[in-house]
Amino acid sequence: MMAINLTFYGGVGEIGGNKILLEADGTRIFLDFGTSFSSEDEYFEFPLLRPSCIEDLFKTGILPKLQGLYKNAGLSVNYASDGTPSLCGDEEVCSIDGILLSHAHVDHYGYLGMLRPDIPIYLSPISRKIIELKNDIREDWQTRVNLDTLCPVEKAKDFEIESLKITRYDVDHSVLGASAFIINAGDKTIAYTGDMRFHGNAVADSEEFLSACRSAGIDTLLCEGTRLGPPSEDEKEVESHALSSESEVEQKCRDIFSNEDRLIIYDASPADMNRMRLISKVAQDFGRTLVLDSKKAYLSLYMNYPDILCPGLPATGEFKIALSRLKLNASRYGKYGLPQDLYAESYIDYRQAHEGKLLVAQ
Ligand SMILES: [Zn+2]
């Protein structure tokens, strides 16, 4: 009988932060490798005090110090008497065969940037695209993934990692491209749901995964459970006012647009492209001008470039972009004869990263 070992380095008793090590027959994989917000909050304070290097995360016990998992582990910098730096030590040998990534929310992928680039990461094609775009937007040293390590797998496709036989399924979640996995390890079958819901636009995908679980006969189910269990009295009070499906959200939006002729502001994660698609559709139906901040605008445009991955997102010409004020520094921009501390709302030169690319595309 096959022995399976599961070790939870995050994701238990907290929301997200999943880092689950699965070991079977000599094969070792991680299920997600996400940021633990609750553990980070104990020692750091966003945005002023943040972990500055991987040692901060080891010392606080937020990350497990496992051999053969992290990039450059085993190496250190030595300084000669004249200050010349050189690398010394021996790089550790890789000890992890792969990572199954359920979806592109930071609490599931936010620590991938610290891992060895020779560990392949299996994910959906849409998750790969979102991670590529989020790399452009902001993600920091903990999160910035080497894109060469990403191995997109199509829906319902089988693949192998050493002795494990794995199938990836699409499931419904608030970020596009969410996956669940069924893992066969010898005579044992394990299902990993990632974050999965049954009230969004892709419920059929979640149902398909459930019926695959039924057919496969699952020995161990690893299920995300933020909202499992009966609600507390406080939660009941909140839930009595809450909307319970995406179709109710759409109806509520339409009610608001019908009854309000002044400015309407919507606030949602830039990664929630379903919400962006919905707001864009409702705004068009009501003849409203949609204005997106630069992150949402960037994701909306490039998600569908060069291939259409999310039909229905607002395209060029269907929205305007709200940019934060760009402060020009006279020492850099003195050639324009501009005074120091000038804010120039319409100045598009010298915007970096995704904003620069976005404005060129516009
Ligand atoms: Zn999630």
Side-chain angles (χ1 to χ4, degrees):
M1 190 180 283
M2 173 75 66
I4 312 274
N5 252 335
L6 289 165
T7 313
F8 296 81
Y9 291 105
V12 176
E14 61 177 330
I15 296 178
N18 295 25
K19 293 176 278 295
I20 304 165
L21 176 63
L22 185 158
E23 298 167 283
D25 196 23
T27 304
R28 305 176 83 219
I29 63 170
F30 262 97
L31 310 176
D32 287 331
F33 209 78
T35 303
S36 287
F37 290 119
S38 52
S39 306
E40 282 202 14
D41 282 351
E42 284 182 37
Y43 298 95
F44 304 98
E45 193 162 2
F46 181 84
L48 297 177
L49 179 62
R50 308 190 63 192
S52 60
C53 63
I54 196 167
E55 287 299 328
D56 287 351
L57 296 168
F58 289 147
K59 282 177 191 158
T60 49
I62 293 170
L63 271 187
K65 201 158 188 186
L66 298 179
Q67 286 270 321
L69 175 60
Y70 301 102
K71 94 174 47 149
N72 301 323
L75 299 175
S76 57
V77 179
N78 188 37
Y79 294 94
S81 54
D82 66 352
T84 307
S86 62
L87 279 181
C88 61
D90 292 313
E91 194 170 2
E92 291 175 358
V93 175
C94 185
S95 71
I96 298 295
D97 300 299
I99 292 167
L100 304 185
L101 185 77
S102 66
H103 64 287
H105 272 157
V106 175
D107 58 341
H108 288 255
Y109 91 98
Y111 286 160
L112 284 180
M114 294 178 279
L115 302 189
R116 301 174 61 97
D118 52 354
I119 302 175
I121 300 167
Y122 300 88
L123 73 179
S124 70
I126 288 184
S127 292
R128 189 208 176 279
K129 181 73 177 185
I130 294 174
I131 288 174
E132 179 189 337
L133 298 178
K134 287 173 89 175
N135 265 2
D136 292 344
I137 289 176
R138 176 196 73 88
E139 303 302 355
D140 50 28
W141 59 272
Q142 296 151 275
T143 306
R144 179 170 283 274
V145 185
N146 179 340
L147 297 178
D148 294 337
T149 64
L150 301 180
C151 308
V153 179
E154 293 298 329
K155 175 184 175 177
K157 181 101 189 288
D158 300 332
F159 60 102
E160 291 180 5
I161 303 178
E162 300 298 329
S163 62
L164 304 177
K165 293 184 175 44
I166 302 164
T167 313
R168 188 191 78 73
Y169 295 88
D170 284 346
V171 286
D172 185 35
H173 188 35
S174 59
V175 66
L176 297 175
S179 300
F181 297 92
I182 293 181
I183 304 157
N184 288 297
D187 57 354
K188 292 277 182 268
T189 305
I190 300 144
Y192 179 53
T193 64
D195 283 0
M196 179 174 67
R197 66 180 185 178
F198 289 87
H199 58 267
N201 301 318
V203 180
D205 288 332
S206 298
E207 297 285 0
E208 225 171 278
F209 169 65
L210 280 197
S211 61
C213 288
R214 271 184 221 111
S215 323
I218 302 299
D219 296 296
T220 303
L221 174 67
L222 300 172
C223 181
E224 193 80 18
T226 308
R227 300 280 174 212
L228 284 182
S232 65
E233 288 305 313
D234 287 351
E235 283 169 340
K236 273 187 198 158
E237 168 60 19
V238 172
E239 282 179 12
S240 66
H241 305 290
L243 305 174
S244 58
S245 70
E246 285 300 299
S247 51
E248 283 183 26
V249 173
E250 175 163 359
Q251 191 48 55
K252 180 79 179 173
C253 282
R254 289 186 180 279
D255 291 348
I256 292 170
F257 275 73
S258 300
N259 296 321
E260 182 56 70
D261 54 9
R262 293 168 296 177
L263 176 70
I264 298 171
I265 296 174
Y266 97 95
D267 182 19
S269 158
D272 190 346
M273 290 182 220
N274 276 318
R275 194 56 51 83
M276 190 148 59
R277 191 156 52 177
L278 167 66
I279 297 290
S280 166
K281 186 168 126 219
V282 177
Q284 272 182 18
D285 289 351
F286 282 82
R288 289 296 199 109
T289 302
L290 178 66
V291 183
L292 299 175
D293 63 50
S294 67
K295 285 184 187 176
K296 291 191 181 75
Y298 187 71
L299 288 170
S300 182
L301 284 187
Y302 281 91
M303 195 64 199
N304 287 328
Y305 178 82
D307 303 314
I308 305 282
L309 292 177
C310 181
L313 282 175
T316 318
E318 292 178 344
F319 63 89
K320 296 186 185 301
I321 305 171
L323 289 172
S324 57
R325 303 173 92 189
L326 182 64
K327 187 175 181 181
L328 299 177
N329 182 316
S331 63
R332 274 183 74 188
Y333 305 103
K335 62 183 176 175
Y336 298 107
L338 296 168
Q340 198 158 13
D341 296 332
L342 176 80
Y343 284 100
E345 279 84 2
S346 61
Y347 203 86
I348 68 166
D349 283 351
Y350 299 102
R351 289 204 182 253
Q352 305 295 315
H354 73 288
E355 286 193 351
K357 207 167 152 188
L358 182 64
L359 291 166
V360 169
Q362 286 276 299

